[in-house]
Amino acid sequence: QWYQRRVTGERRSYVSVVKTINVFRDLICTAEWVTGRELIKIVKCYCKYLPLSQSNETDVSNVVRRILKIIREESVGPEATNSADGISAFFKTDIKPCNLGRSDLQDNILNSIVELLAELDTSKSNIVNMALEHIHSNERILTYGHSNTIRDFLLYGRKARDFEVIVCESGPSLKGHKMAAELSEGGIKTTVIADSAAFAIIHAVNKVIIGTHTIMADGALRATNGVHQVAMAAKFFSVPVIVCAPLYKLSPTHLCSYDPDAFNKVIGPEKMLNFSNANLHSKVLISNPDFDYVPSDLIELFITNTGGHAPSYLYRIISELYHPEDYDLDNMCVEDVEDEMAT
């Protein structure tokens, strides 16, 4: 029941990812399996106990796909990985067992999982260390709300650059005030503006640097509510929008326009209309969505822990991180797994 315990702050996604990996690492050690095919079936069957269908748990789904990809790669052995079949071999659904026994295969899988944990542990620092490549002196940068990654990214750039930051307050949560205070304490000249003033000020901005909750397969964003209007204003004035996010936020899924509930999450309206105004509640209907959909054509560059990437290059990264059979993991059921394993 680890996923039911709430972790406050932006570290919630990172903590969920690490705990997910530890759960499946224990499962790999304790479950009864002999071949990689049997282990994949066990992992997929165990997925029904995880909140993969919740919109705020996309990172959990992504790391499960990473683990499945590791199992597939270690199961086929290095001779299959280095074969000349190319793309056709990548899309094969069957797993040809290698000559490794359970013990050796398990050690290889666990070693790869340790490397995955090391990648996650250094993902934020790798992003922050690229700040000096994208921040220049005397620039005016606009950001939205509060993000630990963006805060550290800007503070690292302050070590060698002198620039100004404008923070949209991100109503109704007003997390931008916290962001502005932390940047100001770090020696950065910071100004807080209302979200509605973004269009009026953005013509004087050199670039927009934001974080995101999820990067969709086509380069679109599931970002904090209010980011879409900022990205639209930046597009109008030809201001580049840069997104800083680790690769575990990259999802192989797309937005389903016919199912908005699968994309967004509606939170309580108490910050918009106080419960003390009880006489108004029966007269109005308030929708307070938690996320905004930001199309990929509004994004200039993604800064991840492996470097900077254009939105059009994300498809290549997805093919390296995930296997096509695991893209639709959220809608996978045990019966489908059994049918797949029987073929």
Side-chain angles (χ1 to χ4, degrees):
Q1 302 294 324
W2 57 266
Y3 52 83
Q4 295 181 353
R5 298 197 294 267
R6 299 285 294 179
V7 181
T8 59
E10 193 187 79
R11 284 184 57 84
R12 177 171 62 242
S13 60
Y14 175 78
V15 171
S16 298
V17 165
V18 173
K19 289 191 174 183
T20 300
I21 294 176
N22 290 330
V23 166
F24 281 100
R25 183 164 59 175
D26 295 339
L27 178 67
I28 292 171
C29 295
T30 58
E32 296 183 2
W33 58 274
V34 177
T35 64
R37 177 177 295 186
E38 295 176 355
L39 181 57
I40 289 176
K41 180 179 179 180
I42 293 173
V43 170
K44 286 193 172 183
C45 289
Y46 195 81
C47 287
K48 66 180 181 180
Y49 301 108
L50 300 181
L52 301 181
S53 60
Q54 297 182 11
S55 61
N56 60 331
E57 296 292 349
T58 311
D59 299 334
V60 174
S61 301
N62 294 338
V63 77
V64 172
R65 296 185 182 99
R66 292 287 299 272
I67 293 175
L68 289 171
K69 180 69 179 299
I70 288 174
I71 297 173
R72 294 179 188 274
E73 290 181 341
E74 297 297 338
S75 297
V76 298
E79 62 278 358
T81 305
N82 298 328
S83 65
D85 292 339
I87 297 178
S88 61
F90 175 78
F91 284 97
K92 288 181 179 179
T93 58
D94 61 322
I95 298 179
K96 297 180 180 179
C98 59
N99 297 325
L100 295 177
R102 155 74 189 257
S103 179
D104 293 335
L105 180 57
Q106 176 176 306
D107 290 341
N108 292 344
I109 293 173
L110 294 179
N111 289 336
S112 297
I113 290 178
V114 170
E115 295 177 0
L116 175 59
L117 285 170
E119 174 191 331
L120 297 178
D121 187 52
T122 59
S123 58
K124 181 179 177 180
S125 61
N126 290 340
I127 294 174
V128 170
N129 290 337
M130 288 183 280
L132 298 180
E133 302 177 14
H134 302 278
I135 298 178
H136 305 91
S137 297
N138 302 321
E139 281 191 331
R140 184 178 285 114
I141 300 172
L142 185 140
T143 188
Y144 189 90
H146 183 274
S147 168
N148 291 335
T149 301
I150 302 301
R151 177 200 61 199
D152 295 344
F153 186 86
L154 296 173
L155 290 175
Y156 188 87
R158 179 63 181 85
K159 295 180 179 181
R161 306 282 193 270
D162 187 14
F163 57 93
E164 179 184 351
V165 175
I166 300 174
V167 183
C168 295
E169 63 181 1
S170 182
S173 64
L174 303 181
K175 293 181 180 179
H177 292 269
K178 178 183 177 182
M179 181 73 162
E182 294 174 350
L183 294 177
S184 181
E185 291 176 359
I188 300 177
K189 182 181 178 181
T190 309
T191 304
V192 181
I193 64 172
D195 299 340
S196 57
F199 188 86
I201 196 68
I202 204 167
H203 70 278
V205 170
N206 297 101
K207 63 188 63 173
V208 177
I209 301 179
I210 56 175
T212 185
H213 182 275
T214 305
I215 304 174
M216 313 300 287
D218 58 349
L221 303 181
R222 177 194 279 140
T224 303
N225 188 23
V227 171
H228 186 210
Q229 66 166 355
V230 174
M232 289 283 289
K235 182 73 171 181
F236 184 83
F237 288 101
S238 300
V239 176
V241 177
I242 300 175
V243 179
C244 298
L247 284 181
Y248 65 79
K249 291 182 178 292
L250 177 59
S251 173
T253 58
H254 295 78
L255 169 67
C256 297
S257 58
Y258 57 85
D259 189 12
D261 293 337
F263 172 84
N264 217 326
K265 180 180 66 171
V266 178
I267 57 179
E270 66 274 5
K271 293 183 179 180
M272 303 177 65
L273 181 63
N274 195 283
F275 287 134
S276 60
N277 302 319
N279 57 334
L280 296 177
H281 289 182
S282 60
K283 302 177 182 179
V284 296
L285 177 63
I286 300 176
S287 178
N288 187 17
D290 199 17
F291 302 118
D292 255 356
Y293 174 76
V294 183
S296 59
D297 59 345
L298 302 181
I299 308 301
E300 181 76 17
L301 181 70
F302 287 97
I303 300 178
T304 70
N305 45 294
T306 60
H309 308 288
S312 59
Y313 187 74
L314 293 181
Y315 79 96
R316 175 65 179 177
I317 301 177
I318 290 176
S319 66
E320 295 175 353
L321 296 180
Y322 313 118
H323 191 276
E325 287 296 311
D326 306 323
Y327 285 0
D328 197 22
L329 186 64
D330 295 351
N331 296 325
M332 183 274 307
C333 62
V334 177
E335 290 78 8
D336 295 336
V337 176
E338 293 175 349
D339 294 341
E340 175 189 338
M341 304 313 298
T343 58

